[in-house]
């Protein structure tokens, strides 16, 4: 028993050390990439992109299900985005409330006869409506499909632009978000096939008429910790993976894709639990198998603001669903592992996700249990415990602080020094006790998936309409 405990404890130590060293390398890459991105932006005239007819048209697809309280504000915000050639498609995914009627009243919709070719699989479409207030707006009214992927596919079938931008109806895009996210595509339209934008936490900020007026930290601790999580995940993780052309997920809240490629892979997989991760994985597979020279990029500019769960029950459901989506996609693409045909995706990105994301809750919860058992039996070495705290907890905390400082040095969205101080202080709480609680939720997600429990559990959200200036 003592021998087993020693082996288990040391295995967890090396696991934490390897994970933190990987994140340290990603932090270094992200810092260099962010600096290069800032220099690149200085060489571009964003104002020119807003006005030139040479910018490729974009179709925004926004699925909406029972969004009556905020749909007017959300659609107006999309129509106000700064971009020269824009089409907005809102997919009413079988809403049972007044979502469609609200849009009828606000935008004076009329039924139109248009060619609709269902290339991507989705539930049947009831009708297409064009706005008399703004002809760029098209409403796709469809039967409920049971998933966001199904709704996006209906919008994809109606899209007429060479690029599609997938957004959430309850998120807020900054007005120049489309201009900024298109910079990599305008630089290299032949190679760049998709770009992911950064997602920021909206909770706590001042909002009026659906527009972000002032960025502030949330008041609830559970929300502040998620701010730290998002900064580390996007400003370090996704920026580094994107630099190496190994980005495996573009958030469903904000991403741009080449329309023809999304259609080539059949659109979104309706049965996918994590439809955003699933689509990017299938794009990598499709392009690698064709031997294409391509790049899937990430943009670190502050662009999209979204509401995160503000109670433990909703957060637990969200993280369990993310873990189920991770397992679902990794299992379906297990044949890509360590295959030279799939390059760095099969040899680096996917193995990392298996080891440090999918198996993380099993390894960490099991390892902590053996450390506690060793302490109870009096066989836990003091030197080992100190090393574990140093290379596990302290190392990870320093990396989280690095992501906060990177945000403050580069983007400076939190201008109040008290907000910055709070963010840094919460970096110490993120890895204990929040990390352990997070692992329990992810472990629940794995168990739910294995026993076939993939039911969508809605999250509690306040919505754009309920937000007001503080």
């Amino acid at each position: 028993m003592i021998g087993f405990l020693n082996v288990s404890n040391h295995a967890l130590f090396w696991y934490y050390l390897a994970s933190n060293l990987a994140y340290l390398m990603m932090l270094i890459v992200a810092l260099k990439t962010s600096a290069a991105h800032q220099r690149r932006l200085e060489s571009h005239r964003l104002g020119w992109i807003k006005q030139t007819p040479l910018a490729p048209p974009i179709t925004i697809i926004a699925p909406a299900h029972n969004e009556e309280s905020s749909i007017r504000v959300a659609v107006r915000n999309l129509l106000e985005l700064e971009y020269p050639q824009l089409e907005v498609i809102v997919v009413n995914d079988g809403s049972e409330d007044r979502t469609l009627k609200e849009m009828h009243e606000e935008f004076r919709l009329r039924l139109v006869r248009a060619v609709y070719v269902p290339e991507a699989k989705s539930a049947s479409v009831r009708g297409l409506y064009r706005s008399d207030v703004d002809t760029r707006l098209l409403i796709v009214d469809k039967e409920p499909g049971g998933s966001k992927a199904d709704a996006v596919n209906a919008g994809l079938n109606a899209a007429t632009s060479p690029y599609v931008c997938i957004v959430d109806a309850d998120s807020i895009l900054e007005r120049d978000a489309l201009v900024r996210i298109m910079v990599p595509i305008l630089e290299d339209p032949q190679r760049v096939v998709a770009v992911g934008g950064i997602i920021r936490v909206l909770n706590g900020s001042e909002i009026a008429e659906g527009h972000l007026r002032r960025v502030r930290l949330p008041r609830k601790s559970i929300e502040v910790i998620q701010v730290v999580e998002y900064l580390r995940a996007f400003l370090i993780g996704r920026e580094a993976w994107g630099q190496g052309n190994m980005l495996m997920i573009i958030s469903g809240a904000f991403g741009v894709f080449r329309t023809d490629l999304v259609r080539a892979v059949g659109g979104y997989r309706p049965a996918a639990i994590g439809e955003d991760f699933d689509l990017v994985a299938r794009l990598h597979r499709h392009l690698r198998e064709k031997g294409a020279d391509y790049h899937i990029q990430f943009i670190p500019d502050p662009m999209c603001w979204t509401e995160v769960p503000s109670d433990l029950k909703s957060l637990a459901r969200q993280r369990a669903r993310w873990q189920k989506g991770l397992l679902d996609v990794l299992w379906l693409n297990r044949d890509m592992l360590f295959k030279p045909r799939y390059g760095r995706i099969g040899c680096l990105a996917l193995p990392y996700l298996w080891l440090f994301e999918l198996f993380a809750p099993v390894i960490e919860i099991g390892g902590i249990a053996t450390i506690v058992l060793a302490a109870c039996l009096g066989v836990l070495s003091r030197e080992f415990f100190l090393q574990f705290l140093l290379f596990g907890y302290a190392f990870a905390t320093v990396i989280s602080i690095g992501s906060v400082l990177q945000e403050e040095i580069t983007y400076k969205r939190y201008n109040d020094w008290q907000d910055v101080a709070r963010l840094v202080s919460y970096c110490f709480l993120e890895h204990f006790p929040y990390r352990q609680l997070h692992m329990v939720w992810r472990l629940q997600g794995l168990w739910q998936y294995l026993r076939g429990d993939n039911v969508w559990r809605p999250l509690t959200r306040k919505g754009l309409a309920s937000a007001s200036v503080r």
Side-chain angles (χ1 to χ4, degrees), residues 349-409:
L350 289 177
Y352 177 90
L353 291 173
W354 276 93
L355 182 60
F356 294 110
E357 295 292 341
L358 183 67
F359 291 146
V362 177
I363 295 173
E364 294 192 25
I365 295 297
I368 291 173
T370 59
I371 288 178
V372 172
L373 182 58
C376 292
L377 296 176
V379 294
L380 182 64
S381 166
R382 179 179 298 178
E383 291 75 15
F384 167 80
F385 187 66
L386 291 176
Q387 291 176 354
F388 179 81
L389 290 179
L390 178 63
F391 291 100
Y393 173 76
F395 199 168
T397 300
V398 169
I399 293 173
S400 292
I401 293 175
S403 67
V404 172
L405 295 180
Q406 181 189 1
E407 132 68 30
E408 203 46 36
I409 293 171

Side-chain angles (χ1 to χ4, degrees), residues 77 104 115 134 137 142-144 149 217 226 333 352 364 448:
N77 288 352
H104 263 293
V115 177
D134 192 326
L137 175 62
K142 62 181 286 291
E143 298 289 343
L217 273 188
Q226 289 177 80
N333 293 281
Y352 177 90
E364 294 192 25
Q448 289 169 5

Side-chain angles (χ1 to χ4, degrees), residues 230-292:
Y230 275 58
L231 290 177
R232 190 182 68 251
F234 283 92
L235 291 183
I236 296 181
R238 295 195 190 179
E239 187 153 10
W241 288 115
Q243 178 66 15
N245 198 20
M246 293 182 284
L247 184 64
M248 293 302 297
I249 182 169
I250 290 178
S251 175
F254 188 40
V256 170
F257 303 86
R258 235 176 63 187
T259 308
D260 63 326
L261 285 178
V262 179
R263 287 174 176 163
V265 299
Y268 283 74
R269 182 166 60 92
I273 302 172
E275 71 284 336
D276 43 10
F277 178 26
D278 180 77
L279 175 65
V280 177
R282 287 189 293 117
L283 285 174
H284 276 299
R285 175 190 286 273
H286 175 76
L287 292 165
R288 287 279 176 179
E289 290 177 351
K290 285 186 169 295

Side-chain angles (χ1 to χ4, degrees), residues 38-239:
Q38 293 301 313
R39 291 193 297 269
R40 186 166 65 244
L41 280 182
E42 291 175 359
S43 66
H44 282 275
R45 295 171 57 191
L46 297 182
W48 175 82
I49 299 175
K50 297 176 185 178
Q51 300 173 358
T52 177
L54 300 178
I58 297 177
T59 295
I60 294 179
I61 301 176
H65 178 72
N66 294 341
E67 302 279 356
E68 64 176 3
S69 64
S70 60
I71 193 64
R72 295 191 187 211
V73 172
V75 175
R76 282 201 304 267
N77 288 352
L78 293 178
L79 292 171
E80 291 171 1
L81 292 175
E82 298 172 340
Y83 197 78
Q85 300 187 69
L86 183 63
E87 176 184 46
V88 175
I89 296 179
V90 179
V91 183
N92 179 45
D93 189 28
S95 297
E96 299 168 349
D97 60 1
R98 285 178 48 84
T99 297
L100 185 59
K101 292 182 179 179
E102 291 288 333
M103 289 189 288
H104 263 293
E105 295 173 1
E106 181 73 14
F107 302 103
R108 298 210 312 268
L109 304 181
R110 56 182 171 82
L111 188 65
V112 295
R113 295 182 180 276
V115 177
Y116 179 86
V117 181
E119 294 183 62
K121 185 178 179 181
S122 75
S124 60
V125 171
R126 299 166 179 164
L128 302 176
Y129 298 86
R130 181 73 67 180
S131 169
D132 282 335
V133 174
D134 192 326
T135 56
R136 298 176 301 165
L137 175 62
L138 178 70
I139 308 299
V140 177
D141 183 32
K142 62 181 286 291
E143 298 289 343
S147 68
K148 177 183 175 180
D150 185 276
V152 172
N153 281 348
L156 180 67
N157 292 332
T160 60
S161 305
Y163 291 93
V164 289
C165 177
I166 313 300
V167 303
D168 282 343
D170 58 355
S171 296
I172 295 178
L173 296 184
E174 296 187 355
R175 294 194 65 174
D176 63 350
L178 290 180
V179 173
R180 290 178 177 273
I181 202 171
M182 288 297 288
V183 166
I185 293 174
L186 294 173
E187 284 185 336
D188 192 357
Q190 297 301 317
R191 293 183 67 245
V192 180
V193 300
V195 184
I198 191 169
I199 310 299
R200 292 294 191 93
V201 173
L202 180 63
N203 306 50
S205 296
E206 297 177 2
I207 307 169
E209 291 298 319
H211 292 283
L212 185 65
R213 299 302 184 194
R214 185 183 180 190
V215 177
R216 295 295 304 271
L217 273 188
R219 295 177 180 175
K220 286 188 175 182
S221 297
I222 193 66
E223 296 171 341
V224 179
I225 285 183
Q226 289 177 80
V227 174
V228 177
E229 270 190 306
Y230 275 58
L231 290 177
R232 190 182 68 251
F234 283 92
L235 291 183
I236 296 181
R238 295 195 190 179
E239 187 153 10

Side-chain angles (χ1 to χ4, degrees), residues 400-419:
S400 292
I401 293 175
S403 67
V404 172
L405 295 180
Q406 181 189 1
E407 132 68 30
E408 203 46 36
I409 293 171
T410 309
Y411 304 106
K412 301 178 181 178
R413 303 300 285 181
Y414 297 102
N415 294 320
D416 192 325
W417 70 269
Q418 292 178 328
D419 284 348

